[in-house]
Amino acid sequence: MRLWSRELWRIAWLATLSTCLGWLLGSAGLGLAAGLAICLFYHLRQLRELYLWLTLHPHDEPPAASGMWGELFDRLYRYQKSQRITQSRLRATLARIQESSEAMRDSVVMLDRHGDLEWWNSAATAMLGLQTAHDRGQHITNLLREPSFISYFNARNYSEPLTLTSPIDERRILQYQITLYGDDERLVMARDITRLHRLEQMRRDFVANVSHELRTPLTVLSGYLETYSDIADQLPPRLGRSIQQMQEQTQRMQNLVNDLLLLSRLEIDQGGKDHHPISLEPLLQSVCDDALALSHQRHTITVALESDARLLGSEQEIRSAVSNLAFNAVRYTPAGSQITLRWKASATGGGYIDVEDNGEGIDPVHIPRLTERFYRVDKGRSTATGGTGLGLAIVKHVLLRHDAQLQIESHPGKGALFRCAFPSSRVV
């Protein structure tokens, strides 16, 4: 502020002096004009020096000047110097990021806010076939043209990764994950999961093959045990009890094999071929009758229909999912409990199939793991009730094939609610 005041005083003194000299020479106005012209020439000359410095020699020291122009040159120079230091640090940071990205085995691709390629590491060249000379500035969907990737990219819902084959090698399986950052820019990471995919496929094949091979000996064993049970009254009591226990365990093994085969089919088969509008009233009533038979009338089981909408899907798979939930409610609630099978519409246009009971409930700590295979809250009680530990895993896979989710609400002593939440696209 002091420099600005000093500059104004300097202009005022120059105007006054030039006016006085002009008055002495007989023309005060001409003297004032001459003084202002000198001032204008000085400022234009300093402005020209500033322009030449910034355009031709920005890295040199600023021109020498005094007063307000000298202060302006010094401030610009200090600002330039700080900006160069900041840029140097940013370049060093960017170089370290690029070096670390180059060291990664996963592909890293940076996209601008329009989805155009800006930078990628060498792993992306090997996995995705990106070439620096041709592909920089191209839109990502011009190079990764798989329809499922385009849909995934445009949907902007990147909570789950996408698994596809490599665009340059069909033998490689890649898992894509996109992250939004900055000004709507995107970071695409691709991981080679070929080995994990093969191991998972081997596991599925092993489970399916072993389960299939076990069916024949179990069927033979069950047939012989059934024959012996027909003549149990002719056998010693101890042998009769042994045959009965063998029958129970054989039946349990058959249920386990059937559930494993169903899970294998749900994992391998894409499904969708037998999907059609399903009327929920007869389906829920049929499941209710089966649950009552399993309960031996020890529970009160009812059906509540709060919507007449139909559900688009596989009737066999939906029946299997609801049956598993209803049978679990029968097995794991005490006699006299109330169990309700409910179908109702949701506020978003979808629908809910609820299986609700007023039994003992489940500690919330177990809820995240309930859909894991063979996970049991109470191992002793689950074994006694004859469960296989695969029911909720089957429910989860069935719902995934119908774009639905399993929601569980429960607290000890307050019962449990198992909800199959279907999107609006599945309710007709």
Side-chain angles (χ1 to χ4, degrees), residues 299 324-334 337 339 355-357:
H299 299 75
N324 272 295
L325 294 176
F327 295 167
N328 279 351
V330 170
R331 291 189 181 105
Y332 302 128
T333 57
S337 298
I339 300 172
V355 177
E356 187 174 11
D357 66 70

Side-chain angles (χ1 to χ4, degrees), residues 357 360-364 367 408-418:
D357 66 70
E360 300 175 0
I362 306 168
D363 192 323
I367 290 179
I408 306 173
E409 299 176 11
S410 182
H411 289 87
K414 297 183 179 180
L417 170 64
F418 289 81

Side-chain angles (χ1 to χ4, degrees), residues 146-272:
E146 183 72 27
S148 54
F149 178 84
I150 296 176
S151 300
Y152 178 70
F153 181 83
N154 294 330
R156 300 177 67 85
N157 180 13
Y158 307 132
S159 56
E160 295 293 333
L162 176 68
T163 301
L164 294 172
T165 57
S166 169
I168 60 174
D169 187 356
E170 294 184 353
R171 296 171 299 178
R172 301 180 74 174
I173 308 298
L174 304 181
Q175 187 180 75
Y176 295 91
Q177 182 72 63
I178 300 179
T179 303
L180 288 168
Y181 73 98
D183 185 19
D184 204 28
E185 298 164 309
R186 280 174 264 205
L187 182 71
V188 181
M189 298 191 67
R191 175 174 298 176
D192 190 341
I193 60 168
T194 305
R195 184 171 177 272
L196 292 176
H197 185 269
R198 289 175 180 170
L199 289 173
E200 178 65 15
Q201 188 62 45
M202 289 172 61
R203 182 195 64 79
R204 292 178 182 176
D205 293 342
F206 173 78
V207 171
N209 291 335
V210 170
S211 302
H212 182 75
E213 292 298 326
L214 282 174
R215 296 187 74 174
T216 300
L218 283 174
T219 302
V220 173
L221 185 59
S222 178
Y224 279 114
L225 290 172
E226 186 175 353
T227 301
Y228 284 119
S229 66
D230 293 338
I231 58 171
D233 54 342
Q234 303 175 21
L235 298 174
R238 185 175 180 181
L239 183 58
R241 288 194 300 270
S242 300
I243 291 176
Q244 182 182 0
Q245 291 178 350
M246 285 190 287
Q247 278 186 305
E248 292 173 355
Q249 294 303 317
T250 302
Q251 183 61 46
R252 185 162 174 261
M253 286 293 295
Q254 285 180 321
N255 293 338
L256 178 60
V257 168
N258 291 334
D259 283 352
L260 285 171
L261 287 173
L262 177 58
L263 261 179
S264 298
R265 183 179 66 80
L266 292 174
E267 289 180 336
I268 297 172
D269 184 16
Q270 295 297 321

